[in-house]
Amino acid sequence: MTKTKPWFWGDIAYQIYIRSFYDSNGDGVGDLRGIIDKLDYLSNTLGVTAIWLCPFYDSPMVDFGYDVSDYESVDPLFGDLDDFKELLKQAHTSGIKVIVDLIANHTSDKHQWFIESKSSKDNPKRNWYIWHSSEDGNPPNDWLSAFGGSAWEYDSHTNQFYLHSFSKQQPDLNWNNPEVKDAIKNVMKFWLDIGVDGFRADAVYWLSKDGWFRDDPRNPHFHDKNSSGEYDALIHSHSRLGPHLYEHLQDMTAVLEDYPGSFLVVEASPIAAIPGKNQDIPEYLNLYRYVDSKLCAPFNFELIRLPWDARFYKSFIDNFQSKLHPDYLPIYTFGNHDNPRLASRIGEEAIRVAAMLLLTLPGLPFIYYGEEIGMKDVQIPRGEQKDPSRFGGNGRDAARTPLQWNKSNNAGFSSQTPWLPVDKDYEKYNIETQLAKPDSLLNLYRALTMLRRQSDALRHGNYLSLEINHSSVYGFIRQTKAEKIAIILNFSSKKHSVESKGSKGKIIFSTYLDKENLLYKDLTELRPNEGIVINLS
Ligand code: NOJ
């Protein structure tokens, strides 16, 4: 008998960028009622069991909701609190857990806290944000905003600078002030009391900064000033990852103790080696060590960064899994709203294998909306882009376009012109068309979610590395006492044969959706870009 694990072990999560999911009221922007309308798609058609909702709180929308002006509200663009409660109720009835975004590092400059903080040096909320004077009129240090330029903004009213690690409309909260920590803990309680199942914690690396506000060192590997913007010119070792980071995260996580079954997923991307830091393991693995790992786990973003090569995947995943204590939950994902889409990164031929990989790995996998129909980046001319950041050199709009539901106008997303353009190929890549085609990508995702939901080994089993003597083929085993399953993935567009090395079993699944119950022994030929699942029990 497998030990009973909480829901987040083995479930399948789906990230909803609400603005682009489904527009129920014809204003060109997705909303909460739109998600309610499509719950049946999520739970019965696609078969996911949890959703992460990007921010829907009151916001001036400078960073599309990551600039919150009231944490305990719903922005009218998305609906109201009753809509949220209805969504939660119906999601739970459909067997779907709901995770909401927690933006704890910064607020909007229109948040009442900041308005007060800015009003005078004596205001009781002055110390809720990070204010500094400068002697020569220049910013207090060299720290940079992830969105470009200095991280300091001068305020002539009080003759001081405030810190903003992202846009200047997103002032950083001062986590050294216990009142701030309490305020954010109260925000968590507010949503947990309403019934959410957890949070995705945004931008946590910035919660703690160097206490002396020392300059960030220059990045010795940065040469080309024009390549990726000046942000990469520095190593951000003082402006983030400060000494109190894990303490702050543990304090946030402790709130969950009173809400059984709740969970915190942390945005913690791998970062380049920092001189003087012991980085034989990625920084984010420390999270498991220093924060209650039964209630909190980091995303790992390597699958977003790695080139599509079986050797890199094998090496990273084998290594990562070997470092995880059996109680540490791995969280794999191939995409999110800040990165180019999977299909554009690795190519259309490879995405079926990627889908099988994601849904057969241990832990809690996250699918980014639209991935299930192979949505691609939509190139939007610079002048028409809405994203304020310079991420990726070209902003992030390309991966945030409306979900393509069918062949009708605006891909069935909205009756009005959507806030971002719909992909011109939507007549081919849409949910309705793919549902009607038995071997479509969407039907592959559906079959894989079903497979995962029905297999104890895939949800809860151990991960064991498999040695396959082929550089384009990567495989592993998932195993419980009663069930043993092998997953073998051909990353190349050529066919390859693999030896069973004495193992016998049945091939129960292929990414081509046509192989079932074929015997697996001796030599098995994998077709180009084919992944198979073998039952070895
Ligand atoms: C990470 C979020 O994913 C991104 O969209 C946002 O712009 C920054 N954090 C700032 O909140």
Side-chain angles (χ1 to χ4, degrees):
M1 266 292 279
T2 314
K3 211 167 46 172
T4 317
K5 299 238 189 200
W7 65 267
F8 31 87
W9 273 91
D11 262 45
I12 304 160
Y14 183 90
Q15 180 191 347
I16 298 188
Y17 195 69
I18 306 176
R19 296 183 77 87
S20 293
F21 187 69
Y22 184 63
D23 172 17
S24 75
N25 63 353
D27 63 359
V29 177
D31 44 51
L32 296 177
R33 288 259 150 214
I35 304 173
I36 298 177
D37 289 351
K38 298 295 185 183
L39 276 174
D40 184 58
Y41 166 73
L42 293 168
S43 90
N44 293 326
T45 306
L46 186 55
V48 299
T49 47
I51 49 178
W52 153 26
L53 302 178
C54 281
F56 49 81
Y57 320 110
D58 262 349
S59 165
M61 301 290 166
V62 170
D63 190 14
F64 298 110
Y66 285 93
D67 47 323
V68 180
S69 51
D70 180 354
Y71 287 102
E72 297 177 1
S73 66
V74 171
D75 194 285
L77 192 62
F78 299 125
D80 60 25
L81 201 55
D82 286 337
D83 293 330
F84 180 78
K85 289 180 180 164
E86 183 62 24
L87 166 58
L88 196 61
K89 194 169 119 204
Q90 291 201 29
H92 285 165
T93 309
S94 314
I96 292 187
K97 306 280 183 196
V98 179
I99 298 171
V100 298
D101 232 299
L102 179 65
I103 302 110
N105 176 67
H106 43 265
T107 67
S108 156
D109 61 343
K110 301 288 182 297
H111 196 295
Q112 190 55 32
W113 300 341
F114 188 69
I115 293 172
E116 288 177 38
S117 181
K118 200 178 169 185
S119 66
S120 84
K121 283 185 179 165
D122 313 322
N123 186 279
K125 292 231 165 35
R126 184 67 172 182
N127 197 27
W128 279 44
Y129 293 83
I130 301 168
W131 292 95
H132 267 274
S133 302
S134 113
E135 279 149 29
D136 55 5
N138 288 318
N141 64 20
D142 71 350
W143 294 359
L144 294 172
S145 149
F147 284 3
S150 168
W152 296 95
E153 180 70 9
Y154 179 67
D155 170 51
S156 57
H157 176 58
T158 53
N159 191 25
Q160 279 194 316
F161 288 82
Y162 67 85
L163 184 70
H164 59 89
S165 299
F166 294 88
S167 80
K168 65 179 181 195
Q169 293 94 339
Q170 292 165 295
D172 281 32
L173 284 162
N174 175 11
W175 272 73
N176 288 331
N177 182 342
E179 289 175 3
V180 167
K181 201 181 272 191
D182 283 346
I184 294 295
K185 289 203 284 196
N186 286 338
V187 169
M188 293 175 74
K189 288 178 197 159
F190 175 84
W191 291 104
L192 287 162
D193 286 336
I194 288 180
V196 303
D197 302 285
F199 300 95
R200 172 269 188 186
D202 181 70
V204 298
Y205 281 162
W206 285 264
L207 292 181
S208 179
K209 285 115 176 153
D210 177 55
W212 293 277
F213 286 83
R214 286 171 290 184
D215 275 349
D216 273 336
R218 296 209 71 76
N219 177 358
H221 304 294
F222 181 80
H223 299 300
D224 181 359
K225 285 203 188 73
N226 302 320
S227 69
S228 53
E230 61 179 14
Y231 194 65
D232 293 339
L234 300 184
I235 292 175
H236 311 282
S237 50
H238 292 318
S239 50
R240 57 184 193 177
L241 293 163
H244 303 294
L245 172 60
Y246 297 109
E247 176 192 317
H248 295 330
L249 281 170
Q250 178 50 35
D251 288 344
M252 279 161 68
T253 304
V255 173
L256 306 178
E257 284 165 13
D258 294 333
Y259 298 86
S262 60
F263 190 68
L264 187 73
V265 182
V266 173
E267 186 205 23
S269 41
I271 45 177
I274 290 185
K277 276 218 169 211
N278 173 7
Q279 276 190 238
D280 49 337
I281 57 161
E283 174 67 38
Y284 64 82
L285 281 179
N286 281 324
L287 238 134
Y288 293 107
R289 296 184 183 171
Y290 302 131
V291 183
D292 184 347
S293 58
K294 293 211 169 46
L295 300 176
C296 173
F299 271 114
N300 80 60
F301 284 157
E302 272 88 349
L303 304 201
I304 298 181
R305 309 275 158 84
L306 286 176
W308 188 247
D309 181 316
R311 290 164 301 183
F312 294 147
Y313 275 73
K314 175 175 173 46
S315 154
F316 166 68
I317 298 171
D318 281 359
N319 186 21
F320 182 75
Q321 286 299 138
S322 73
K323 296 215 158 78
L324 289 188
H325 179 281
D327 285 343
Y328 293 177
L329 176 80
I331 302 188
Y332 292 100
T333 188
F334 271 116
N336 62 32
H337 61 292
D338 294 328
N339 288 285
R341 281 189 175 274
L342 175 65
S344 298
R345 290 199 319 269
I346 70 171
E348 209 170 326
E349 322 71 51
I351 49 183
R352 297 175 80 97
V353 172
M356 178 174 278
L357 172 61
L358 182 71
L359 293 168
T360 53
L361 281 171
L364 179 64
F366 275 72
I367 300 168
Y368 182 50
Y369 86 94
E371 223 162 73
E372 74 273 26
I373 51 166
M375 272 177 68
K376 299 203 183 90
D377 288 343
V378 176
Q379 293 318 323
I380 300 169
R382 191 76 186 135
E384 289 164 35
Q385 286 178 18
K386 307 267 194 325
D387 177 23
S389 85
R390 293 185 204 156
F391 279 174
N394 202 22
R396 300 167 292 183
D397 289 359
R400 298 176 171 181
T401 59
L403 183 55
Q404 296 143 212
W405 290 96
N406 56 41
K407 281 190 187 177
S408 67
N409 260 354
N410 304 321
F413 161 75
S414 173
S415 56
Q416 290 305 312
T417 307
W419 75 288
L420 279 180
V422 169
D423 187 358
K424 58 175 181 12
D425 289 335
Y426 73 91
E427 293 200 10
K428 178 169 172 209
Y429 299 93
N430 69 67
I431 288 166
E432 196 175 285
T433 304
Q434 291 200 18
L435 276 178
K437 198 167 166 267
D439 64 351
S440 68
L441 181 66
L442 178 54
N443 280 321
L444 171 65
Y445 269 90
R446 297 177 65 203
L448 283 166
T449 58
M450 178 86 84
L451 183 74
R452 186 176 183 89
R453 289 170 71 160
Q454 288 170 349
S455 161
D456 209 28
L458 288 182
R459 286 199 319 278
H460 301 139
N462 296 338
Y463 171 95
L464 301 169
S465 165
L466 251 187
E467 289 314 318
I468 297 168
N469 290 335
H470 204 294
S471 60
S472 303
V473 182
Y474 160 47
F476 54 91
I477 287 185
R478 301 293 315 283
Q479 187 172 22
T480 56
K481 278 204 179 111
E483 197 183 356
K484 185 173 177 187
I485 282 185
I487 293 96
I488 304 184
L489 308 162
N490 178 6
F491 274 52
S492 83
S493 48
K494 297 202 178 82
K495 57 184 186 193
H496 293 297
S497 293
V498 288
E499 284 178 43
S500 74
K501 296 188 183 149
S503 303
K504 288 198 180 102
K506 267 189 186 161
I507 300 175
I508 53 170
F509 198 106
S510 158
T511 49
Y512 281 59
L513 290 176
D514 60 354
K515 253 184 206 169
E516 254 181 47
N517 290 326
L518 288 185
L519 225 48
Y520 173 74
K521 67 177 180 54
D522 308 327
L523 264 192
T524 295
E525 186 175 274
L526 289 178
R527 287 169 283 182
N529 301 297
E530 179 177 27
I532 55 172
V533 177
I534 305 153
N535 187 349
L536 299 173
S537 320

